[in-house]
Amino acid sequence: MSFSKTFNLKNEKGIFLAYDHGIEHGVKDFINNRAHNPQHILDLTYKSQINGVVLTPGVIEKYIKEIKDYELNTILKINSKSLLAEDQYFSGVTASIDFALKYDVKAIGYTIYFGSIREHEMIETFCMLKEEAKDHGIYTVLWAYPRGKNIKDDKDKNTISYAARIGMELGSDALKLKIPHQIKDIEEITKHVHRTYVFFAGGEKENKEETFLKTAKEVIKRSNGMIVGRNIWQRENALDMLNKIKEFI
Ligand code: FBP
């Protein structure tokens, strides 16, 4: 089945919830009293009927019954790095393709910090996992994040374009990118990416709900959609927000 059908994309666009922050950022991200609970995230995904949810291996194992009951499409975040790590520019593998198969995930999500000193290691591992995943009909979503001593501005359109282009040429089915400084530059970035889905992260929580909704609308118009975390589940009205951004598809 195609990527589009697998994730029930509408007009080739979709919305996914990202929930790997417990490892990536720690509990400081769980600023309301429900976000720490994976059940809340699964409930949000189910009730909003968005296209899927990004989860870490432990959450998938522990909540597999609920994931199955809700028939959720999951993206397994297969490498991670914590803010406690000495090397902030390397993300290590946390699960295998066997694991992905066992828990019936639809895609693996993998981060490469393009520009980092260990970029080549992450590229190598990604390519091996991608080939194995593909053999089993599992899609790949690459978090193509420019980062390292030489990266002056990870929201610069040329830097994002370069990372996106590498991601496409490495063969990822989809990319997850940071939103560039100017939203209109998304057009320039996607121009260089062919036969590859392009989704954007939500970034840090915008205080004003309206500001985030405006951004989301423009981003979704110019791309295949969003894989968004904090700007949704850090709000008390997360379900309402998901329903609103779905309307932009
Ligand atoms: P947000 O929508 O909350 O920005 O989530 C996107 C994401 O890529 C998460 O999947 C990940 O945990 C986090 O951002 C990593 O962000 P950073 O590398 O900037 O700390």
Side-chain angles (χ1 to χ4, degrees):
M1 217 195 305
S2 66
F3 184 94
S4 182
K5 281 215 172 97
T6 299
F7 288 108
N8 305 313
L9 301 188
K10 188 176 142 201
N11 305 325
E12 294 295 77
K13 292 178 193 279
I15 309 291
F16 297 79
L17 262 186
Y19 190 63
D20 57 339
H21 304 62
I23 298 181
E24 293 285 330
H25 295 164
V27 298
K28 72 175 172 53
D29 271 13
F30 303 140
I31 56 174
N32 70 38
N33 63 12
R34 289 185 294 172
H36 64 88
N37 190 343
Q39 184 65 54
H40 176 53
I41 304 299
L42 302 182
D43 289 344
L44 286 173
T45 310
Y46 175 68
K47 287 182 185 159
S48 62
Q49 288 291 299
I50 53 166
N51 306 79
V53 57
V54 176
L55 299 170
T56 48
V59 169
I60 292 182
E61 271 176 344
K62 291 168 206 283
Y63 287 83
I64 192 61
K65 183 180 180 308
E66 290 79 0
I67 290 168
K68 281 196 172 151
D69 287 349
Y70 281 172
E71 298 181 6
L72 302 183
N73 286 325
T74 49
I75 299 177
L76 163 67
K77 191 69 200 329
I78 204 165
N79 70 341
S80 284
K81 177 222 74 195
S82 85
L83 282 182
L84 305 173
E86 192 177 336
D87 181 356
Q88 283 296 304
Y89 305 142
F90 180 75
S91 191
V93 171
T94 54
S96 62
I97 300 299
D98 280 348
F99 180 96
L101 284 168
K102 182 170 169 188
Y103 292 101
D104 195 26
V105 311
K106 301 291 182 256
I108 52 167
Y110 188 95
T111 300
I112 299 181
Y113 296 127
F114 291 109
S116 70
I117 201 154
R118 297 178 75 186
E119 177 198 273
H120 61 289
E121 278 179 62
M122 287 177 276
I123 288 180
E124 213 171 290
T125 307
F126 170 72
C127 290
M128 285 186 305
L129 287 172
K130 182 209 76 180
E131 281 180 27
E132 204 185 334
K134 205 168 194 165
D135 285 346
H136 294 284
I138 296 172
Y139 288 104
T140 47
V141 182
L142 181 67
W143 275 226
Y145 285 179
R147 197 165 299 179
K149 275 200 297 213
N150 295 334
I151 305 294
K152 302 284 173 262
D153 179 1
D154 69 350
K155 293 192 177 144
D156 169 70
K157 69 168 177 177
N158 296 322
T159 308
I160 298 175
S161 292
Y162 194 175
R165 180 72 195 197
I166 308 171
M168 169 202 140
E169 299 212 19
L170 293 178
S172 192
D173 299 296
L175 304 171
K176 179 176 182 195
L177 307 174
K178 298 231 161 153
I179 301 173
H181 293 297
Q182 307 279 332
I183 295 183
K184 67 173 175 42
D185 288 337
I186 288 178
E187 277 154 29
E188 173 72 15
I189 293 165
T190 54
K191 190 179 93 185
H192 296 101
V193 173
H194 300 272
R195 301 193 178 185
T196 310
Y197 289 87
V198 180
F199 299 98
F200 284 85
E204 273 177 42
K205 184 183 164 198
E206 294 274 0
N207 284 335
K208 285 194 184 145
E209 198 176 296
E210 285 312 313
T211 309
F212 173 68
L213 287 172
K214 208 171 142 211
T215 303
K217 187 174 183 182
E218 293 303 313
V219 167
I220 293 164
K221 189 166 96 186
R222 293 171 165 83
S223 68
N224 296 107
M226 296 188 84
I227 305 181
V228 49
R230 291 163 289 179
N231 260 298
I232 299 294
W233 48 251
Q234 284 187 341
R235 298 178 197 276
E236 295 298 336
N237 61 342
L239 182 57
D240 186 37
M241 288 295 276
L242 277 178
N243 286 329
K244 280 186 178 148
I245 67 170
K246 264 181 75 181
E247 293 296 311
F248 301 145
I249 285 184

